[in-house]
Amino acid sequence: MTAQLHVVVIGGGAAGMTTAYELISKGARVTVLEANALGSGSSGRSVGVVGTQMTDPFQILLRRYAIPRFREWEAKGLIFHHIGYLRLARTEAHMEAVHRSAEMQAAEGFRARVMSPEDMVQLIPHLSVEGLAGGIFGPDDGFIDPYQLCTLLGELVRAQGGQIKQFCKVLEATRKGAGYRLETTKGPIECDVVVNAAGAWAPKVAEMFGQTLHIFPERHEAMSILLDNPLEYTMPMVMDLIEGEGTGLNFRYEKPTELISEIHKVSSPDPEDPDNYNDQCMDSSREYLAELLLERLPELPGARLGRGWAGLYPMTSDGKPFAGPINPDEPTLITAGGGGGYGIQLSPVIGIAAADWVLHGGITTAPGLEALAPTPERNRPLVRKEH
């Protein structure tokens, strides 16, 4: 039966392509519609970190399902830079949380080690541990190129008979019988099921179907750190944030003469228009980042800020992704997205859950992902206070 089911996935970012991969691997007929090129939206502006150093049991559960997919795709050509991931702990309460995290990760088969300040300096000689109580390090974590992820999944989808239409924008959607008719810039398409995986554009797509989707496009900035003197070691990903506490500074190795840094500080309390937002880094952000880097990497020689850019985090009210129908009375219209700052590393989970909803009307292959359904309690506005 699923072989006859035609599913259109709107959006060629990480969430859309993982959903398309899951669906076509399980027998559905799949067409992906992407308004630009694969991976050209928020996914392509991500720093691409994939890690398991979380203190929330649910977040570790999500990675139980996500990490095996990354390993599968790595075997099929995805380049995964296993540089490691160090999360910094500032207080004894943070240290208690990372000890619990290490136990939870071990139960899932993930490697993690709680570290003292002295251990962290051995790992990263340029790191200042002033004000830190310790940290937790995952040696198997690292980063991928989100653009390569999207294009690789595109190749795998095509190899199984799927269609991918790039530079194909959806203009209008109407119900037709039990399915849908989509008017696009490349002509009409009829299908049985639609998956809205349009990222920051997902609320606009939902409006075409008469639905209200509360995904909040939140602007964040990143930039490169150029090094005159190449590092003699591979610097892991470093994150100064535990349970919402810390500066939000993170940085990671890109190559011996370059690091990539990001600030988990909200640029504005207002939602951004994904078709019209400032995609460059502001001078005030560069100054703020320079201050944070001087605090945490004060002895890094010959370092200077390079190019900067901004991207959008598709945020939900509770910080967890959406995967499922907004309206239970319309089970053939599935939302897949809202991964926020963890969108790349949670994209396999979004794909698994969305495919279950399409093919089975609920979660059947990954117990626990029922919590990602965009119920009325979850699908509500995100309210930001001014910083």
Side-chain angles (χ1 to χ4, degrees):
M1 180 177 177
T2 56
Q4 304 302 314
L5 190 70
H6 183 201
V7 185
V8 165
V9 177
I10 301 176
M17 295 313 300
T18 55
T19 301
Y21 174 83
E22 293 292 334
L23 286 167
I24 204 162
S25 297
K26 294 170 182 173
R29 177 186 166 203
V30 175
T31 301
V32 177
L33 306 181
E34 166 54 47
N36 292 293
L38 295 185
S40 62
S42 298
S43 294
R45 292 180 167 270
S46 166
V47 299
V49 172
V50 175
T52 63
Q53 308 315 304
M54 310 299 293
T55 59
D56 179 355
F58 184 68
Q59 291 292 336
I60 292 179
L61 170 70
L62 296 181
R63 285 153 180 82
R64 176 208 293 175
Y65 297 119
I67 296 300
R69 284 294 190 271
F70 284 114
R71 292 171 179 160
E72 173 188 341
W73 298 330
E74 189 176 10
K76 294 180 178 181
L78 178 66
I79 299 173
F80 194 143
H81 303 272
H82 296 279
I83 62 173
Y85 187 122
L86 175 67
R87 192 175 283 269
L88 307 180
R90 290 174 172 264
T91 66
E92 288 306 314
H94 290 171
M95 290 302 294
E96 292 175 7
V98 300
H99 276 285
R100 292 193 300 270
S101 174
E103 293 174 359
M104 290 186 290
Q105 290 187 69
E108 298 293 351
F110 302 138
R111 293 198 298 164
R113 179 162 68 99
V114 176
M115 306 189 84
S116 68
E118 294 74 22
D119 294 331
M120 296 192 297
V121 172
Q122 288 293 316
L123 181 68
I124 307 174
H126 291 105
L127 184 72
S128 169
V129 294
E130 182 178 355
L132 300 178
I136 185 168
F137 178 65
D140 301 320
D141 297 342
F143 70 96
I144 63 170
D145 178 346
Y147 174 76
Q148 195 222 352
L149 172 66
C150 294
T151 55
L152 172 66
L153 292 176
E155 293 170 6
L156 297 175
V157 168
R158 288 191 187 99
Q160 297 182 73
Q163 279 196 311
I164 297 177
K165 295 180 180 289
Q166 300 183 81
F167 303 98
C168 180
K169 189 173 183 179
V170 179
L171 304 173
E172 185 181 353
T174 56
R175 276 77 174 175
K176 184 173 181 181
Y180 301 91
R181 178 185 171 93
L182 306 179
E183 302 295 338
T184 81
T185 51
K186 292 190 175 181
I189 297 176
E190 295 184 2
C191 62
D192 303 300
V193 181
V194 170
V195 176
N196 179 3
W201 290 264
K204 294 185 177 183
V205 171
E207 287 180 7
M208 295 184 188
F209 295 88
Q211 293 190 339
T212 299
L213 174 62
H214 293 292
I215 286 180
F216 183 105
E218 188 177 83
R219 183 178 179 276
H220 287 256
E221 296 167 315
M223 67 189 71
S224 62
I225 305 165
L226 305 178
L227 308 175
D228 290 338
N229 303 314
L231 288 179
E232 297 180 353
Y233 62 96
T234 298
M235 184 178 289
M237 171 72 179
V238 178
M239 169 64 83
D240 184 6
L241 192 70
I242 288 184
E243 298 180 342
E245 297 181 356
T247 63
L249 172 69
N250 66 74
F251 49 88
R252 65 157 174 82
Y253 168 93
E254 175 72 9
K255 55 187 178 182
T257 57
E258 184 178 1
L259 307 178
I260 298 292
S261 183
E262 185 184 25
I263 310 169
H264 273 257
K265 175 178 178 289
V266 179
S267 300
S268 168
D270 300 317
E272 298 284 344
D273 179 354
D275 290 314
N276 184 27
Y277 76 98
N278 178 9
D279 63 0
Q280 300 301 306
C281 196
M282 296 185 293
D283 289 342
S284 59
S285 299
R286 296 175 71 89
E287 294 170 5
Y288 179 67
L289 177 61
E291 293 175 2
L292 295 180
L293 289 169
L294 283 172
E295 174 191 15
R296 198 50 63 203
L297 296 171
E299 303 301 325
L300 192 62
R304 64 189 188 280
L305 297 181
R307 63 188 179 92
W309 67 94
L312 300 177
Y313 286 3
M315 301 295 296
T316 65
S317 61
D318 60 5
K320 300 181 180 67
F322 285 162
I326 294 176
N327 183 355
D329 294 330
E330 192 164 15
T332 54
L333 179 54
I334 304 298
T335 297
Y342 296 112
I344 297 299
Q345 55 188 296
L346 294 184
S347 60
V349 175
I350 295 171
I352 291 168
D356 264 7
W357 277 102
V358 170
L359 299 175
H360 308 293
I363 300 299
T364 61
T365 65
L369 299 192
E370 302 88 350
L372 301 184
T375 60
E377 294 75 23
R378 296 191 61 225
N379 184 29
R380 54 187 174 83
L382 184 151
V383 179
R384 286 293 191 201
K385 296 180 181 179
E386 291 198 38
H387 283 59

